[in-house]
Amino acid sequence: NISFLLLWSSFLMSCISNNKFRTGNEAFERKHYFTAVSMFENEINRSQNKSAVFEKLFKIGESYRLMNDPRSAILNYKKALEIADDELAYFRLAGEYKKIEEHILALESLENSKRVFGNTQSLIRELAICRQSIDLKAREDKNILLQKTDFNTAFSDFICQ
């Protein structure tokens, strides 16, 4: 009985200590995104370094993306991009715009990504998907039924049925 109690208290202490993080990056790496956002925001308030602020805003955007909150992710990616041009930030911003069906804004973000980094196969593919989605939505053809794929899949693209 005492050994069980000791084992149980040891387990509880390990659970409690797992929730304590020294930095937002540590919380982010351990997938505690809500905690990471709060810690990153506190770190931003104490930082004067623009590069560090960019990184923390980007990680806040990433946290919201991983928590499936596209509007909050968009807000933070945009704040990060006010500080510095970054290909991955534009690419992630475009992905979040696609999730909320803002394909024209997604296309603009992808074009900015292309301007910063150049053409890559994944960028060319994403540009084509956005253009196709914009074109299909503009047609308003009654013979084409557009259905958004599952929000929780890796891609929030449209499929034709």
Side-chain angles (χ1 to χ4, degrees):
N1 218 3
I2 292 176
S3 62
F4 174 75
L5 186 58
L6 288 172
L7 182 63
W8 182 251
S9 65
S10 170
F11 172 75
L12 286 176
M13 291 304 287
S14 71
C15 288
I16 291 169
S17 67
N18 283 344
N19 290 327
K20 294 182 181 177
F21 305 106
R22 290 185 305 270
T23 66
N25 279 329
E26 186 180 338
F28 182 86
E29 293 301 320
R30 294 183 59 196
K31 300 179 182 356
H32 290 256
Y33 302 121
F34 188 77
T35 302
V37 166
S38 176
M39 293 183 85
F40 285 135
E41 287 171 346
N42 288 333
E43 292 169 16
I44 287 170
N45 291 334
R46 294 188 314 258
S47 180
Q48 298 296 320
N49 182 333
K50 285 191 179 226
S51 175
V53 171
F54 168 83
E55 178 189 332
K56 290 170 190 344
L57 286 168
F58 179 79
K59 286 280 183 93
I60 291 172
E62 288 288 274
S63 295
Y64 282 121
R65 178 181 68 85
L66 294 166
M67 290 189 294
N68 216 2
D69 183 350
R71 294 188 191 284
S72 296
I74 288 168
L75 177 67
N76 285 282
Y77 289 136
K78 287 171 71 174
K79 286 180 183 178
L81 288 165
E82 289 174 6
I83 296 171
D85 277 347
D86 182 82
E87 185 259 343
L88 183 57
Y90 280 120
F91 197 79
R92 293 284 202 243
L93 179 61
E96 298 307 294
Y97 276 134
K98 284 173 52 182
K99 285 180 184 177
I100 61 170
E101 300 182 34
E102 292 287 349
H103 288 85
I104 293 172
L105 293 173
L107 184 64
E108 289 173 11
S109 294
L110 290 169
E111 289 291 345
N112 282 324
S113 179
K114 179 178 165 183
R115 178 184 53 79
V116 172
F117 195 68
N119 276 336
T120 63
Q121 285 301 98
S122 60
L123 183 59
I124 291 168
R125 176 186 175 279
E126 292 299 319
L127 285 164
I129 289 169
C130 279
R131 288 185 183 117
Q132 182 181 28
S133 296
I134 292 166
D135 182 51
L136 286 172
K137 286 178 88 174
R139 282 191 204 171
E140 296 185 23
D141 187 341
K142 297 205 184 323
N143 295 321
I144 299 175
L145 175 64
L146 295 178
Q147 177 182 342
K148 191 169 185 283
T149 58
D150 187 6
F151 187 72
N152 290 318
T153 60
F155 303 99
S156 294
D157 302 328
F158 284 90
I159 57 173
C160 296
Q161 292 184 332

